[in-house]
């Protein structure tokens, strides 16, 4: 039973060791590595809501925005004062950065609560559109808040996000989601997804589980937002719109709803894919029309979505269990 | 007072656009019980169809290009553009349903929803690839000027065209749904699919017809909007699409009168908020309405109550 | 026999439905229903198709709210409670149109129903300490024990929806038992079973009822099953109770015969 915790500790130790060498990584690859980590956090946390709990949310980028802005505001407005008060130092800086991330997470969780509660009575298509609406409302609100730059965007002075923080967040998100769904308590999420009426009849407070999924999911989206803000050092309300949410949804669907390893793979694949496409689009050998089409990755994503739903609605990477069993049988 | 009246008229013409799009959502929901997420993008395609068709129409009716004054030819030209683009979108709608939604008809609703999102994103981005991402200027197909003799009120001719054409389309739709065999079958299918197919109704044909009809109305909305606001781009369908969906829910999804009522109400409300509160909240207001309506009157103003059988 | 003793001693019933009505639009699916079940009693609820039996179950379990009337369980009103709260009070049910958790295995379907009685919550699931391990182990043992009673233990890793019909229905009963009910509502548990399976089911219902000291309300179309195990039977027709009594009395009741043969 304690294996997951051991895995977590080993992984954290590994990335801590690896992060000593992050200065040696080529900036281009470093950028991709961090983006992969952030996308894992986003995909895995959305998977708790959309995949395991079956509450189709289209507003994950909204929570990301809350986290990004709350943590950025902390860094900009509060941290300098606190740093001055405690005399500065790099340890204090790191601690304050972690504090800002967590604050962003809690801010987003609060927003998740605000979305989760009214969404309880809604299902499927309605819920999807209402969450989309919430995401857009958050965006409009940020746009109208001059204190954080409004529609001009917001610059963050320091680039705090590194390999360690990013992958620590990713590891924690995976650990929390996997531990939850692999416990009798957390099976409640799956029950809600499979059959709400039966779940209630088995004594499950479906309301509680749905809200919990939204809150936990939003928390990690908020963390991801904070990481993103302190990595790109510039955030803009338009960057957290509907299309960003769709990006995350594509990760979850491609990986397979309710399939965490699949979602991690999908996060990696979909982060690298645009880079690959860019390289492909630069190839002179390809016809011009194809190069033009490749430049817009959304064309490919949408075709991928439609194709998957028509042929493999369970996602690209599900059936991993089947392969594992086959492998074990061969070994035996 | 004049200002309020002015806002009301602006709201009505915006509301007409929402109503026309909302009808498509509601009709499809009626027969298939699913929200066609890509519907707003059909509206966009409608506007672009008009953009590319207008020069062709003018080749046939050269005098139609002269929009310095009203003439039979300019009206005929505009009318032809409208009808042709409605036809293009009807075909598009039928095609989307046949190729993508039909194979998924027995699948979970979530699968269909995701597919619809996929279709929507495809239309938007393929549109960007095909038409270019920059906004285009919709050609002037009707002479636009203020109607004279209304005192302080400024009502543009095109605004009144929107209202009149919408009214005509609504009457035609009412006739189709209530009086024709196809319309009756459509209502039967919406009411009880199993019984309808027992009665010898071919569901596939009706569903195609519904998609065609709804998409044609969306195209009409696209053209009508473009003659007032000529800047068109491939992403222009997203927001009106969502707002029209809100209108359909507001009126009670599945209910045709409800869609029109919801569209008009939302259009007027949005215009008033922009005029009297702040233009910043133009886009947020629809979502606020949606959330409020789902919380307090989830079946909408005219919707019928259904309880899940256990 | 226990129930008869209790009744004569004047003990209050476990479940008491007073003048309950459920209407869907104009249709009264259940109309002014009165019904009471005592501790440890095995009662039957029968009636022609569409009589309102399943609706009565939904009424008791809180899926539908009565338009009128009162329901008391264990001395307290349960009207307006959410279904999970009613389950927590001690009423469990099976579904006529089987509603197993499709993505969960046989084992996990039963384990899921143990969720309600967990002493530990989210923090234990995350920390995964000793208390968590012990409780998970206890739950697993209980699940296996219940599955063994219903001869489903060898299928415990199979996907639940792949099972034959009869096994699925038995699994639904096991799942309901896992919530530790005082009253068990069974909606057509023998539907789709062959005669041998039905016989075995009757034995199992009797056995569990005694072992767990349950009251059982049984909806069933197979008269041999109903008459064979129920001490008392109530008959619904068009939402109304038209008769109640011992199997013997029901068999000879004119109204009941008319309801089944009539029209
Ligand atoms: N959610 C609902 N909405 C509308 N009508 C309903 C609903 N649930 C049940 N009914 C109607 O109530 C009546 C009683 O149905 P119910 O399912 O309770 O019958 P039943 O006795 O269980 O029948 P069967 O033996 O066929 O299972 C039927 O006419 C049914 O159509
Ligand atoms: Mg029934």
């Amino acid at each position: 039973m304690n294996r997951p915790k051991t895995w977590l500790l080993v992984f954290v130790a590994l990335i801590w060791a690896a992060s000593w060498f992050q200065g040696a990584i080529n900036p281009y690859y470093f950028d991709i590595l961090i983006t992969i980590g952030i996308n894992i956090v986003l995909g895995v946390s959305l998977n708790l809501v959309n995949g395991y709990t079956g509450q189709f949310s289209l507003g994950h980028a909204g929570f990301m925005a809350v986290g990004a802005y709350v943590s950025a505001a902390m860094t900009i407005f509060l941290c300098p004062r606190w740093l001055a008060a405690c005399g500065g130092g790099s340890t204090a800086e790191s601690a304050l950065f972690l504090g800002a991330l967590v604050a962003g997470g809690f801010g987003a969780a609060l927003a998740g609560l605000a979305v989760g509660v009214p969404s309880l009575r809604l299902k499927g298509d309605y819920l999807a559109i209402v969450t989309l609406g919430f995401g857009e409302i958050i965006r409009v609100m940020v746009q109208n808040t001059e204190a954080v730059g409004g529609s001009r965007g917001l610059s963050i002075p320091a680039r705090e996000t590194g390999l360690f923080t990013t992958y620590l967040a990713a590891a924690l998100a995976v650990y929390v989601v996997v531990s939850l769904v692999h416990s009798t308590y957390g099976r409640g999420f799956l029950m809600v997804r499979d059959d709400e009426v039966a779940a209630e009849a088995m004594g499950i407070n479906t309301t509680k589980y749905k809200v919990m999924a939204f809150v936990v999911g939003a928390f990690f989206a908020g963390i991801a937002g904070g990481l993103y803000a302190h990595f790109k050092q510039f955030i803009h309300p338009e960057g957290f719109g509907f299309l960003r949410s769709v990006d995350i949804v594509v990760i979850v669907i491609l990986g397979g709803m309710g399939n965490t390893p699949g979602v991690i793979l999908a996060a990696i694949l979909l982060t690298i894919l645009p880079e690959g496409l860019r390289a492909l689009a630069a190839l002179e050998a390809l016809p011009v029309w194809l190069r033009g089409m490749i430049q817009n990755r959304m064309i490919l994503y949408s075709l991928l979505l439609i194709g998957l739903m028509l042929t493999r609605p369970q996602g690209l990477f599900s059936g991993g269990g089947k392969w594992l069993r086959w492998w074990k049988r061969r070994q035996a | 007072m004049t200002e309020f009246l002015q806002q009301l008229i602006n709201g009505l013409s915006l509301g007409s656009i929402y109503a026309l799009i909302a009808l498509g959502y509601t009709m499809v929901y009626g027969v298939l019980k699913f929200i066609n997420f890509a519907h707003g993008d059909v509206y966009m395609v409608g506007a672009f169809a008009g953009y590319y068709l207008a020069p062709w129409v003018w080749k046939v009716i050269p005098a139609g290009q002269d929009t310095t004054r009203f003439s039979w030819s300019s009206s005929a030209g505009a009318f032809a553009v409208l009808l042709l683009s409605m036809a293009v979108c009807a075909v598009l709608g039928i095609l989307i349903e046949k190729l993508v939604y039909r194979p998924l008809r027995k699948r979970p609703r979530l699968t269909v929803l995701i597919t619809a999102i996929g279709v929507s994103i495809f239309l938007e981005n393929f549109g960007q690839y095909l038409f270019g991402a920059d906004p285009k200027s919709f050609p002037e197909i009707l002479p636009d000027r203020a109607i004279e003799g209304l005192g302080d009120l400024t009502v543009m001719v095109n605004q009144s065209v929107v209202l009149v054409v919408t009214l005509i389309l609504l009457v035609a739709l009412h006739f189709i749904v209530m009086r024709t065999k196809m319309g009756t079958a459509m209502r039967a299918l919406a009411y009880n699919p199993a019984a309808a197919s027992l009665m010898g109704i071919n569901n596939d044909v009706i569903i195609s017809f519904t998609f065609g009809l709804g998409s044609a109305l969306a195209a009409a909305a696209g053209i009508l909007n473009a003659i007032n606001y000529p800047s068109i781009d491939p992403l222009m369908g997203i927001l009106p699409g969502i707002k029209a969906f809100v209108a359909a829910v507001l009126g009670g999804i599945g209910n045709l009168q409800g869609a029109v009522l919801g569209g008009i109400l939302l259009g007027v409300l949005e215009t008033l908020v922009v005029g009297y509160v702040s233009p910043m909240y133009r886009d947020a207001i629809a979502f606020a309405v949606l959330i409020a309506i789902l919380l307090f009157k989830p079946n909408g103003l005219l919707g019928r109550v259904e309880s899940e059988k256990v | 026999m226990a129930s008869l003793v209790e009744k004569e001693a004047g003990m209050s019933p476990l479940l008491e439905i007073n003048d309950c009505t459920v209407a869907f639009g104009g249709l009264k699916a259940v109309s002014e229903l009165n019904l009471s079940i005592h501790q440890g009693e095995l009662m039957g609820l029968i009636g022609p198709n569409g009589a309102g039996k399943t609706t009565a179950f939904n009424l008791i379990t809180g899926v539908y709210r009565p338009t009128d009337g009162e329901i008391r369980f264990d001395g307290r009103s349960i009207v307006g409670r959410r279904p999970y709260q009613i389950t927590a009070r001690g009423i469990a049910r099976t579904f006529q149109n089987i509603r197993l958790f499709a993505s969960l295995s046989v084992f996990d379907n039963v384990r899921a129903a143990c969720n309600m009685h967990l002493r530990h919550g989210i923090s234990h699931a995350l920390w995964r300490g000793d208390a968590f391990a012990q409780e998970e182990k206890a739950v697993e043992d209980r699940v296996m024990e219940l599955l063994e009673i219903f001869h489903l233990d060898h299928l415990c890793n199979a996907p639940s929806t792949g099972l034959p019909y009869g096994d699925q229905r038995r699994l639904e009963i096991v799942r309901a038992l896992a919530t530790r009910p005082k009253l068990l509502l069974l909606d057509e548990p023998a539907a789709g079973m062959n005669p041998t399976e039905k016989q075995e089911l009757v034995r199992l219902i009797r056995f569990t009822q005694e072992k767990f000291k349950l009251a059982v309300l049984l909806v069933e179309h197979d008269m041999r099953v109903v008459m064979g195990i129920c001490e008392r039977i109530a008959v619904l027709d068009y939402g109304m109770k038209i008769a109640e009594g011992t199997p013997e009395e029901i068999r000879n009741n004119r109204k009941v015969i008319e309801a089944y043969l009539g029209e």
Side-chain angles (χ1 to χ4, degrees), chain C residues 111-182:
Chain C
R111 180 157 76 170
C114 297
N115 183 303
M116 197 177 77
H117 289 287
L118 289 176
R119 278 171 295 126
H120 301 128
I122 190 164
S123 53
H124 278 76
L126 291 180
W127 182 247
R128 312 211 139 215
D130 291 339
F132 169 78
Q134 275 162 19
E135 186 161 29
E136 292 281 303
K137 179 82 179 59
V139 166
E140 277 165 28
D141 291 345
R142 210 172 105 70
V143 171
M144 279 321 279
E145 189 188 329
L146 284 170
L147 282 173
E148 271 163 28
I149 297 178
F150 281 78
H151 317 304
L152 290 167
D153 45 326
H154 62 285
L155 293 169
C156 74
N157 289 323
S160 59
T161 39
L163 299 183
Y165 226 55
D167 286 349
Q168 290 197 23
R169 290 215 178 272
R170 278 185 297 145
L171 180 56
E172 274 227 347
I173 301 179
V174 180
R175 194 178 64 167
L177 286 174
T179 67
R180 303 180 196 269
K182 295 176 190 152

Side-chain angles (χ1 to χ4, degrees), chain B residues 161-217:
Chain B
V161 168
V162 171
L163 296 180
V164 172
V165 172
T166 304
L167 206 64
I168 295 172
L169 287 174
L170 290 183
V171 171
L173 180 69
H174 184 81
F175 176 81
I176 291 173
V177 173
M178 302 311 283
R179 293 289 156 77
T180 62
K181 235 170 121 178
M182 217 42 145
T184 311
M186 210 168 106
R187 282 183 292 141
L189 186 58
Y191 193 74
N192 187 339
S197 81
L198 283 180
M199 303 286 284
I201 291 173
N202 184 342
N203 288 6
D204 285 348
V205 174
I206 307 302
I207 290 168
S208 288
F209 179 74
T210 310
F211 266 84
L213 200 58
S215 304
L217 291 175

Side-chain angles (χ1 to χ4, degrees), chain B residues 259-301:
Chain B
V260 177
L261 178 68
I264 302 286
L265 278 180
L266 191 67
V268 170
L269 185 68
E270 186 179 318
T271 315
L272 291 182
V273 167
V274 168
Y276 290 105
V277 187
S278 157
M280 290 293 227
Y281 294 104
R282 177 191 293 275
D283 299 334
I285 183 73
F287 294 115
V289 167
L290 176 66
I291 290 160
I293 194 87
L294 287 175
L295 285 180
F296 300 114
K297 209 165 181 335
N299 294 303
L301 297 173

